[in-house]
Amino acid sequence: MHPIPAFGRLMAAQLLLILTALFALITVGTPAAAAASVQNENMTVSLEAGPAHSGARTIAIVLTPKPGWHTYWKNPGAAGVESRAEWTLPPGATASDLRYPVPDRFVVAGIMNYVFKTERALLVDIDGLPASGEIGLTFDYLVCDDEICVPESANLAANLSDIGVEAGRIGRWQADQPTAHDGDARVEVQGDRLRLSLAVPQISAVSDAYFFPAVDGVVDYSAPQTASIAGDRIVIETATGFNPDADSVPGVVKLMLEGGETLGLAVDAEPGSVEAAGTPLLGGADETDPASGTGAGPATAPAPPLPLIFLAALAGGLLLNIMPCVFPILSLKALSLAKGGVSERAARSEALFYSLGVIGAVLALGGALLALRAGGSTVGWAFQLQDPRIVAALLLLVTAIALNLAGLFELPAIAVGADGLAASGGRSGAFFTGILAAVVATPCTGPFMGAALGAALVLSPLAAMMIFGGLGLGLALPFLVIGFVPALRRRLPRPGAWMERLRRLLSIPMFVTAVALAWVLGQQAGADGLSIGIAAAVLLGLALWWLGGARRKLIPAAASAAVFLTVLAVPTTLSNVGSADAAEGTVLAAAPYSPAALSDLQAAGDPVFLYFTADWCITCKVNERGALSSAAVADHFKSRGIRTLVGDWTRSDPKITAFLTSHGRAGVPLYIYYDREGRETILPQILSADDLLALGSGQDA
């Protein structure tokens, strides 16, 4: 077993660094035009100011959602995003953090959210303001109904002399704020249970209580909370979250009082001994699950079973191995173990390091996805493929692999063939090959993956990372089994000249993958972007041919620089290339999806077939070239009056991302049928013509 040359290790490090950096390049939207009050599609945002007191004023950001919609509290709960405010103030003025009113609970399919369902105001105290003058605010927020979420932005600007309001109005918003709890509040964690107690005056008037933690992870949001009275204290008990060991637990305790009134107490519970539960409080649950109509109290539905979701992710990862861009890598890596001289220890070692590369890459992608969503970005699985710069980087990477398999060059840092990295790289080669397998597998999805990855986005970060780990383990499992089961390795064909021919044949699906990525690049960045990508691939091939042949001894530094600059410069160049205009769907005469278009068709009583696709999604393209292109299906849809809508997720679209998330999906494809009564049926991710011909069969045209 020969070590990778120093230059090979340098090339591997360069490629990994470039790909890692590109995964973080996600563009943001442009805010709307400035105004004192902005009416967006689902929310009206306006500024109001209280009277001045020694240069300090309270500013209210008034949020008025459309009926049936809501926005989120500081801690949004199991799903959602905290609002963000960026102020433009006169010199010397400073703004406090946002002060939130007492939230409501909103449960969808057992998932607990902390929201505002009616007109509310977030307060900000600003010091050093003049009596008049301009202030500006960029306010970003997420607004949702019980099916879809939409990120919106309001760019507000107003003169202080124009937005003053009556003291009673600002007093109303101040009264909506939680009252500071000046008594003793304690929290105690016992096993998987969190117990909180606080002294409450006039406790006899309290009918129920609920705790809204201000920090993430201390409680299981979807678990029920039980409240009881022990002397002059209220004791609240619930399940712990993924990080219950905080030094203190701030939040709001919402008390439901007799007569239907509520009172919010802002607490900062310190660790301490909590008394035993006393007389139960059973009334006052004020929120319902719109899907089931059940209360959000003790009867709240449990979270999805994690073991089943993990197994679904494992199965989905296993099926990725048959995809055309992954199968050549797996095949050659497995056949490398059939070569003579590979010891049992070396086989197991390579299998472990290959698995570490695969699982590590999938966890890195999953962690980046969770971090971006936590930061307010509405992204889903394979989010990186919505950026043409990353598609260009993958195009260059896959082109290099295909050229190596075809025999154009031998470069240990890139090669995955029988004579390259797979055969001589040892642990380092196996690890890097595992990373390659995971990276090129990201455009693919299939059975089991959609529901599993969708569930990962609403579970705790720890549980979500377990699901991503299950996906990576499934992808690595075939080679892991081959490495650890000698009987399987003995059944592999013996090495010979045929392996070189097989290697050439396996370059074909890699070239096909490169062509597909080039097509996606053209769809995203237009003809100019496609031309740049193809030119870069040609230059990269020439540089690798030069570097991988005998000429590398003459000018290795120049060749290395050419490869590096080509890989680095192309994605950077594409950041300034305009995207191609999105073409309307032509399969089944589909119209572009929008929430309004779907609502209009349903209001008219039309049956609707809605599907979501992306140019980089292999499964989507297979379905579109197959069942969705069937003339029989088109005739059936026409005869039954089934209207078709398509959502194109090739480039990031917050409305599509929100719809996918609301249906427990992290990526495409997703196929849904709505009958004339609006009943929803989700179809399999691998479509057949029979699946589509069965739609609407029980309805009159």
Side-chain angles (χ1 to χ4, degrees), residues 125-162:
D125 298 319
I126 303 181
D127 292 327
L129 281 179
S132 62
E134 291 286 336
I135 63 171
L137 170 66
T138 299
F139 188 71
D140 299 315
Y141 59 93
L142 185 68
V143 60
C144 307
D145 64 4
D146 59 351
E147 293 185 353
I148 189 170
C149 293
V150 180
E152 294 183 346
S153 183
N155 195 21
L156 300 121
N159 192 297
L160 290 168
S161 61
D162 297 333

mmCIF file of all heavy atoms in Angstrom, residues 125-162:
data_model
loop_
_atom_site.group_PDB
_atom_site.id
_atom_site.type_symbol
_atom_site.label_atom_id
_atom_site.label_comp_id
_atom_site.label_asym_id
_atom_site.label_seq_id
_atom_site.Cartn_x
_atom_site.Cartn_y
_atom_site.Cartn_z
ATOM 1 N N ASP A 125 -37.150 50.028 22.820
ATOM 2 C CA ASP A 125 -36.843 51.291 23.504
ATOM 3 C C ASP A 125 -35.609 51.900 22.859
ATOM 4 O O ASP A 125 -34.545 51.260 22.793
ATOM 5 C CB ASP A 125 -36.596 51.048 24.992
ATOM 6 C CG ASP A 125 -37.830 50.486 25.686
ATOM 7 O OD1 ASP A 125 -38.938 50.960 25.380
ATOM 8 O OD2 ASP A 125 -37.679 49.562 26.509
ATOM 9 N N ILE A 126 -35.736 53.135 22.371
ATOM 10 C CA ILE A 126 -34.638 53.804 21.685
ATOM 11 C C ILE A 126 -34.251 55.051 22.477
ATOM 12 O O ILE A 126 -35.093 55.928 22.737
ATOM 13 C CB ILE A 126 -35.013 54.167 20.238
ATOM 14 C CG1 ILE A 126 -35.435 52.900 19.468
ATOM 15 C CG2 ILE A 126 -33.854 54.858 19.540
ATOM 16 C CD1 ILE A 126 -35.791 53.145 18.024
ATOM 17 N N ASP A 127 -33.005 55.121 22.860
ATOM 18 C CA ASP A 127 -32.467 56.280 23.582
ATOM 19 C C ASP A 127 -31.797 57.230 22.604
ATOM 20 O O ASP A 127 -31.246 56.818 21.576
ATOM 21 C CB ASP A 127 -31.437 55.826 24.626
ATOM 22 C CG ASP A 127 -32.082 55.041 25.758
ATOM 23 O OD1 ASP A 127 -33.236 55.344 26.099
ATOM 24 O OD2 ASP A 127 -31.419 54.112 26.270
ATOM 25 N N GLY A 128 -31.831 58.531 22.964
ATOM 26 C CA GLY A 128 -31.124 59.541 22.180
ATOM 27 C C GLY A 128 -31.835 59.981 20.931
ATOM 28 O O GLY A 128 -31.195 60.506 20.010
ATOM 29 N N LEU A 129 -33.167 59.806 20.860
ATOM 30 C CA LEU A 129 -33.904 60.229 19.675
ATOM 31 C C LEU A 129 -34.302 61.705 19.777
ATOM 32 O O LEU A 129 -34.741 62.168 20.833
ATOM 33 C CB LEU A 129 -35.172 59.393 19.507
ATOM 34 C CG LEU A 129 -35.036 57.995 18.908
ATOM 35 C CD1 LEU A 129 -36.398 57.328 18.840
ATOM 36 C CD2 LEU A 129 -34.426 58.063 17.511
ATOM 37 N N PRO A 130 -34.184 62.448 18.696
ATOM 38 C CA PRO A 130 -34.708 63.818 18.688
ATOM 39 C C PRO A 130 -36.228 63.817 18.578
ATOM 40 O O PRO A 130 -36.849 62.777 18.354
ATOM 41 C CB PRO A 130 -34.052 64.413 17.440
ATOM 42 C CG PRO A 130 -33.832 63.233 16.536
ATOM 43 C CD PRO A 130 -33.527 62.077 17.444
ATOM 44 N N ALA A 131 -36.819 64.991 18.731
ATOM 45 C CA ALA A 131 -38.283 65.089 18.631
ATOM 46 C C ALA A 131 -38.766 64.781 17.228
ATOM 47 O O ALA A 131 -39.884 64.295 17.031
ATOM 48 C CB ALA A 131 -38.746 66.483 19.060
ATOM 49 N N SER A 132 -37.940 65.079 16.252
ATOM 50 C CA SER A 132 -38.290 64.763 14.869
ATOM 51 C C SER A 132 -37.038 64.260 14.164
ATOM 52 O O SER A 132 -35.919 64.439 14.645
ATOM 53 C CB SER A 132 -38.855 65.993 14.151
ATOM 54 O OG SER A 132 -37.878 67.021 14.097
ATOM 55 N N GLY A 133 -37.252 63.648 13.043
ATOM 56 C CA GLY A 133 -36.138 63.068 12.306
ATOM 57 C C GLY A 133 -36.509 61.709 11.764
ATOM 58 O O GLY A 133 -37.537 61.119 12.143
ATOM 59 N N GLU A 134 -35.707 61.213 10.856
ATOM 60 C CA GLU A 134 -35.994 59.953 10.184
ATOM 61 C C GLU A 134 -35.432 58.757 10.960
ATOM 62 O O GLU A 134 -34.335 58.818 11.510
ATOM 63 C CB GLU A 134 -35.383 59.957 8.778
ATOM 64 C CG GLU A 134 -36.042 60.916 7.804
ATOM 65 C CD GLU A 134 -37.401 60.428 7.325
ATOM 66 O OE1 GLU A 134 -37.627 59.201 7.375
ATOM 67 O OE2 GLU A 134 -38.223 61.263 6.912
ATOM 68 N N ILE A 135 -36.214 57.710 11.001
ATOM 69 C CA ILE A 135 -35.727 56.410 11.446
ATOM 70 C C ILE A 135 -36.089 55.385 10.367
ATOM 71 O O ILE A 135 -37.077 55.549 9.638
ATOM 72 C CB ILE A 135 -36.305 55.981 12.810
ATOM 73 C CG1 ILE A 135 -37.831 55.816 12.725
ATOM 74 C CG2 ILE A 135 -35.909 56.939 13.905
ATOM 75 C CD1 ILE A 135 -38.432 55.184 13.977
ATOM 76 N N GLY A 136 -35.285 54.362 10.265
ATOM 77 C CA GLY A 136 -35.540 53.320 9.280
ATOM 78 C C GLY A 136 -35.455 51.942 9.918
ATOM 79 O O GLY A 136 -34.761 51.746 10.919
ATOM 80 N N LEU A 137 -36.154 51.001 9.353
ATOM 81 C CA LEU A 137 -36.174 49.641 9.880
ATOM 82 C C LEU A 137 -36.313 48.652 8.727
ATOM 83 O O LEU A 137 -37.202 48.790 7.880
ATOM 84 C CB LEU A 137 -37.347 49.452 10.855
ATOM 85 C CG LEU A 137 -37.631 48.013 11.302
ATOM 86 C CD1 LEU A 137 -36.478 47.464 12.134
ATOM 87 C CD2 LEU A 137 -38.945 47.926 12.085
ATOM 88 N N THR A 138 -35.423 47.670 8.706
ATOM 89 C CA THR A 138 -35.595 46.504 7.841
ATOM 90 C C THR A 138 -36.031 45.350 8.731
ATOM 91 O O THR A 138 -35.282 44.928 9.626
ATOM 92 C CB THR A 138 -34.290 46.147 7.114
ATOM 93 O OG1 THR A 138 -33.897 47.246 6.288
ATOM 94 C CG2 THR A 138 -34.486 44.911 6.241
ATOM 95 N N PHE A 139 -37.243 44.858 8.516
ATOM 96 C CA PHE A 139 -37.842 43.855 9.390
ATOM 97 C C PHE A 139 -38.112 42.596 8.583
ATOM 98 O O PHE A 139 -38.891 42.601 7.626
ATOM 99 C CB PHE A 139 -39.144 44.397 9.991
ATOM 100 C CG PHE A 139 -39.733 43.511 11.061
ATOM 101 C CD1 PHE A 139 -39.131 43.402 12.298
ATOM 102 C CD2 PHE A 139 -40.898 42.793 10.827
ATOM 103 C CE1 PHE A 139 -39.657 42.591 13.284
ATOM 104 C CE2 PHE A 139 -41.442 41.981 11.804
ATOM 105 C CZ PHE A 139 -40.815 41.883 13.041
ATOM 106 N N ASP A 140 -37.434 41.505 8.946
ATOM 107 C CA ASP A 140 -37.585 40.204 8.274
ATOM 108 C C ASP A 140 -38.322 39.244 9.196
ATOM 109 O O ASP A 140 -37.981 39.130 10.379
ATOM 110 C CB ASP A 140 -36.216 39.623 7.914
ATOM 111 C CG ASP A 140 -35.437 40.510 6.964
ATOM 112 O OD1 ASP A 140 -36.035 40.984 5.986
ATOM 113 O OD2 ASP A 140 -34.238 40.734 7.216
ATOM 114 N N TYR A 141 -39.296 38.528 8.654
ATOM 115 C CA TYR A 141 -40.115 37.649 9.483
ATOM 116 C C TYR A 141 -40.666 36.521 8.630
ATOM 117 O O TYR A 141 -40.620 36.554 7.391
ATOM 118 C CB TYR A 141 -41.270 38.436 10.109
ATOM 119 C CG TYR A 141 -42.186 39.087 9.085
ATOM 120 C CD1 TYR A 141 -43.327 38.438 8.634
ATOM 121 C CD2 TYR A 141 -41.896 40.339 8.569
ATOM 122 C CE1 TYR A 141 -44.159 39.019 7.687
ATOM 123 C CE2 TYR A 141 -42.713 40.934 7.615
ATOM 124 C CZ TYR A 141 -43.841 40.275 7.185
ATOM 125 O OH TYR A 141 -44.652 40.839 6.232
ATOM 126 N N LEU A 142 -41.181 35.508 9.311
ATOM 127 C CA LEU A 142 -41.822 34.369 8.656
ATOM 128 C C LEU A 142 -43.293 34.388 9.035
ATOM 129 O O LEU A 142 -43.635 34.516 10.217
ATOM 130 C CB LEU A 142 -41.185 33.054 9.103
ATOM 131 C CG LEU A 142 -41.678 31.778 8.417
ATOM 132 C CD1 LEU A 142 -41.251 31.755 6.947
ATOM 133 C CD2 LEU A 142 -41.148 30.540 9.131
ATOM 134 N N VAL A 143 -44.168 34.252 8.045
ATOM 135 C CA VAL A 143 -45.602 34.233 8.290
ATOM 136 C C VAL A 143 -46.167 32.947 7.698
ATOM 137 O O VAL A 143 -45.783 32.532 6.603
ATOM 138 C CB VAL A 143 -46.287 35.489 7.700
ATOM 139 C CG1 VAL A 143 -46.082 35.577 6.200
ATOM 140 C CG2 VAL A 143 -47.768 35.526 8.048
ATOM 141 N N CYS A 144 -47.066 32.277 8.441
ATOM 142 C CA CYS A 144 -47.552 30.952 8.045
ATOM 143 C C CYS A 144 -49.047 30.839 8.295
ATOM 144 O O CYS A 144 -49.610 31.542 9.153
ATOM 145 C CB CYS A 144 -46.853 29.842 8.850
ATOM 146 S SG CYS A 144 -45.053 29.888 8.824
ATOM 147 N N ASP A 145 -49.691 29.943 7.555
ATOM 148 C CA ASP A 145 -51.000 29.453 7.966
ATOM 149 C C ASP A 145 -50.803 27.998 8.376
ATOM 150 O O ASP A 145 -49.690 27.608 8.717
ATOM 151 C CB ASP A 145 -52.054 29.644 6.864
ATOM 152 C CG ASP A 145 -51.760 28.842 5.594
ATOM 153 O OD1 ASP A 145 -50.773 28.076 5.580
ATOM 154 O OD2 ASP A 145 -52.516 28.978 4.624
ATOM 155 N N ASP A 146 -51.854 27.190 8.358
ATOM 156 C CA ASP A 146 -51.683 25.815 8.824
ATOM 157 C C ASP A 146 -51.160 24.886 7.733
ATOM 158 O O ASP A 146 -51.029 23.683 7.956
ATOM 159 C CB ASP A 146 -52.995 25.264 9.394
ATOM 160 C CG ASP A 146 -54.129 25.281 8.384
ATOM 161 O OD1 ASP A 146 -53.949 25.883 7.297
ATOM 162 O OD2 ASP A 146 -55.192 24.721 8.674
ATOM 163 N N GLU A 147 -50.823 25.426 6.542
ATOM 164 C CA GLU A 147 -50.313 24.578 5.475
ATOM 165 C C GLU A 147 -48.995 25.074 4.891
ATOM 166 O O GLU A 147 -48.180 24.268 4.450
ATOM 167 C CB GLU A 147 -51.347 24.471 4.333
ATOM 168 C CG GLU A 147 -52.612 23.714 4.721
ATOM 169 C CD GLU A 147 -53.541 23.529 3.536
ATOM 170 O OE1 GLU A 147 -53.253 24.097 2.463
ATOM 171 O OE2 GLU A 147 -54.546 22.824 3.682
ATOM 172 N N ILE A 148 -48.769 26.381 4.846
ATOM 173 C CA ILE A 148 -47.620 26.909 4.124
ATOM 174 C C ILE A 148 -47.037 28.084 4.886
ATOM 175 O O ILE A 148 -47.748 28.799 5.611
ATOM 176 C CB ILE A 148 -48.027 27.330 2.692
ATOM 177 C CG1 ILE A 148 -46.796 27.667 1.847
ATOM 178 C CG2 ILE A 148 -48.993 28.497 2.720
ATOM 179 C CD1 ILE A 148 -47.117 27.857 0.381
ATOM 180 N N CYS A 149 -45.719 28.279 4.748
ATOM 181 C CA CYS A 149 -45.011 29.395 5.367
ATOM 182 C C CYS A 149 -44.337 30.223 4.279
ATOM 183 O O CYS A 149 -43.832 29.685 3.300
ATOM 184 C CB CYS A 149 -43.963 28.904 6.357
ATOM 185 S SG CYS A 149 -44.659 28.088 7.810
ATOM 186 N N VAL A 150 -44.319 31.546 4.475
ATOM 187 C CA VAL A 150 -43.736 32.454 3.497
ATOM 188 C C VAL A 150 -42.846 33.454 4.225
ATOM 189 O O VAL A 150 -43.319 34.173 5.110
ATOM 190 C CB VAL A 150 -44.819 33.217 2.706
ATOM 191 C CG1 VAL A 150 -44.177 34.151 1.684
ATOM 192 C CG2 VAL A 150 -45.773 32.244 2.023
ATOM 193 N N PRO A 151 -41.542 33.536 3.902
ATOM 194 C CA PRO A 151 -40.710 34.593 4.484
ATOM 195 C C PRO A 151 -41.011 35.926 3.801
ATOM 196 O O PRO A 151 -41.087 36.002 2.574
ATOM 197 C CB PRO A 151 -39.287 34.112 4.192
ATOM 198 C CG PRO A 151 -39.416 33.235 3.002
ATOM 199 C CD PRO A 151 -40.778 32.615 3.051
ATOM 200 N N GLU A 152 -41.200 36.968 4.568
ATOM 201 C CA GLU A 152 -41.472 38.292 4.032
ATOM 202 C C GLU A 152 -40.535 39.302 4.679
ATOM 203 O O GLU A 152 -39.942 39.049 5.722
ATOM 204 C CB GLU A 152 -42.931 38.693 4.270
ATOM 205 C CG GLU A 152 -43.924 37.836 3.504
ATOM 206 C CD GLU A 152 -45.366 38.273 3.691
ATOM 207 O OE1 GLU A 152 -45.651 39.077 4.609
ATOM 208 O OE2 GLU A 152 -46.225 37.805 2.930
ATOM 209 N N SER A 153 -40.403 40.459 4.037
ATOM 210 C CA SER A 153 -39.542 41.519 4.542
ATOM 211 C C SER A 153 -40.247 42.847 4.362
ATOM 212 O O SER A 153 -40.920 43.075 3.341
ATOM 213 C CB SER A 153 -38.197 41.518 3.809
ATOM 214 O OG SER A 153 -37.338 42.501 4.344
ATOM 215 N N ALA A 154 -40.122 43.716 5.353
ATOM 216 C CA ALA A 154 -40.703 45.060 5.283
ATOM 217 C C ALA A 154 -39.595 46.072 5.503
ATOM 218 O O ALA A 154 -38.877 46.010 6.500
ATOM 219 C CB ALA A 154 -41.800 45.229 6.332
ATOM 220 N N ASN A 155 -39.448 46.998 4.561
ATOM 221 C CA ASN A 155 -38.454 48.060 4.661
ATOM 222 C C ASN A 155 -39.198 49.344 4.997
ATOM 223 O O ASN A 155 -39.842 49.935 4.138
ATOM 224 C CB ASN A 155 -37.688 48.178 3.343
ATOM 225 C CG ASN A 155 -36.422 48.985 3.480
ATOM 226 O OD1 ASN A 155 -35.907 49.143 4.584
ATOM 227 N ND2 ASN A 155 -35.924 49.503 2.378
ATOM 228 N N LEU A 156 -39.134 49.758 6.272
ATOM 229 C CA LEU A 156 -39.932 50.877 6.765
ATOM 230 C C LEU A 156 -39.054 52.088 7.030
ATOM 231 O O LEU A 156 -37.901 51.966 7.447
ATOM 232 C CB LEU A 156 -40.663 50.486 8.054
ATOM 233 C CG LEU A 156 -41.619 49.298 7.916
ATOM 234 C CD1 LEU A 156 -41.206 48.188 8.849
ATOM 235 C CD2 LEU A 156 -43.052 49.726 8.188
ATOM 236 N N ALA A 157 -39.621 53.266 6.797
ATOM 237 C CA ALA A 157 -38.941 54.515 7.106
ATOM 238 C C ALA A 157 -40.001 55.555 7.434
ATOM 239 O O ALA A 157 -41.044 55.620 6.779
ATOM 240 C CB ALA A 157 -38.076 54.978 5.939
ATOM 241 N N ALA A 158 -39.773 56.364 8.462
ATOM 242 C CA ALA A 158 -40.773 57.353 8.861
ATOM 243 C C ALA A 158 -40.116 58.475 9.644
ATOM 244 O O ALA A 158 -39.043 58.311 10.236
ATOM 245 C CB ALA A 158 -41.861 56.697 9.712
ATOM 246 N N ASN A 159 -40.785 59.637 9.650
ATOM 247 C CA ASN A 159 -40.358 60.757 10.478
ATOM 248 C C ASN A 159 -41.009 60.622 11.845
ATOM 249 O O ASN A 159 -42.207 60.336 11.945
ATOM 250 C CB ASN A 159 -40.758 62.090 9.829
ATOM 251 C CG ASN A 159 -40.083 63.260 10.496
ATOM 252 O OD1 ASN A 159 -40.302 63.528 11.683
ATOM 253 N ND2 ASN A 159 -39.277 63.978 9.736
ATOM 254 N N LEU A 160 -40.239 60.816 12.891
ATOM 255 C CA LEU A 160 -40.760 60.630 14.247
ATOM 256 C C LEU A 160 -41.956 61.529 14.534
ATOM 257 O O LEU A 160 -42.820 61.183 15.341
ATOM 258 C CB LEU A 160 -39.643 60.879 15.264
ATOM 259 C CG LEU A 160 -38.546 59.807 15.298
ATOM 260 C CD1 LEU A 160 -37.357 60.290 16.108
ATOM 261 C CD2 LEU A 160 -39.092 58.517 15.878
ATOM 262 N N SER A 161 -41.997 62.682 13.907
ATOM 263 C CA SER A 161 -43.125 63.587 14.157
ATOM 264 C C SER A 161 -44.412 63.098 13.511
ATOM 265 O O SER A 161 -45.499 63.581 13.839
ATOM 266 C CB SER A 161 -42.788 64.987 13.627
ATOM 267 O OG SER A 161 -42.547 64.944 12.222
ATOM 268 N N ASP A 162 -44.311 62.113 12.610
ATOM 269 C CA ASP A 162 -45.498 61.635 11.887
ATOM 270 C C ASP A 162 -46.073 60.347 12.455
ATOM 271 O O ASP A 162 -47.158 59.931 12.058
ATOM 272 C CB ASP A 162 -45.146 61.394 10.409
ATOM 273 C CG ASP A 162 -44.727 62.672 9.698
ATOM 274 O OD1 ASP A 162 -45.177 63.746 10.130
ATOM 275 O OD2 ASP A 162 -43.945 62.578 8.732
#
